[in-house]
Amino acid sequence: GFFIFEAFLLYKEPVYKSLGYSHEEIKKLRPWAVNQSIYNLALALTTFVGLYLIFKKQILLAGALVSTSGVTMIMAGVTLWM
């Protein structure tokens, strides 16, 4: 949902105008929004793959995958506060 919105739909005129952005502003936001959409998609995929691995009894691999995602989110949060 959010990946499609941030990567593709945000740049449609009715969408960005409904959010209060001008064409010039949305052009500046595009690199950030695409980057954010890929980041969110990667975190979602690793979470779902981690859950799948837990159901397949691959606990160590699932833990490593989900832990890596968690550390990535923490690092991103720390970066935003700097």
Side-chain angles (χ1 to χ4, degrees):
F2 283 108
F3 173 74
I4 300 297
F5 179 78
E6 291 171 336
F8 303 108
L9 298 179
L10 184 61
Y11 315 106
K12 305 289 183 193
E13 187 174 0
V15 176
Y16 68 74
K17 282 194 173 185
S18 71
L19 296 171
Y21 290 109
S22 69
H23 181 70
E24 292 76 30
E25 290 172 318
I26 210 68
K27 282 174 42 178
K28 291 177 186 175
L29 283 175
R30 186 176 184 129
W32 170 84
V34 170
N35 179 55
Q36 189 65 35
S37 68
I38 293 169
Y39 171 79
N40 290 339
L41 180 63
L43 289 177
L45 288 174
T46 57
T47 300
F48 287 120
V49 171
L51 290 172
Y52 172 78
L53 291 171
I54 288 172
F55 289 121
K56 291 293 185 178
K57 307 285 191 243
Q58 299 291 323
I59 305 300
L60 217 53
L61 186 56
L65 185 65
V66 173
S67 296
T68 301
S69 294
V71 168
T72 301
M73 286 187 275
I74 291 169
M75 289 170 47
V78 168
T79 302
L80 290 172
W81 283 100
M82 294 180 144

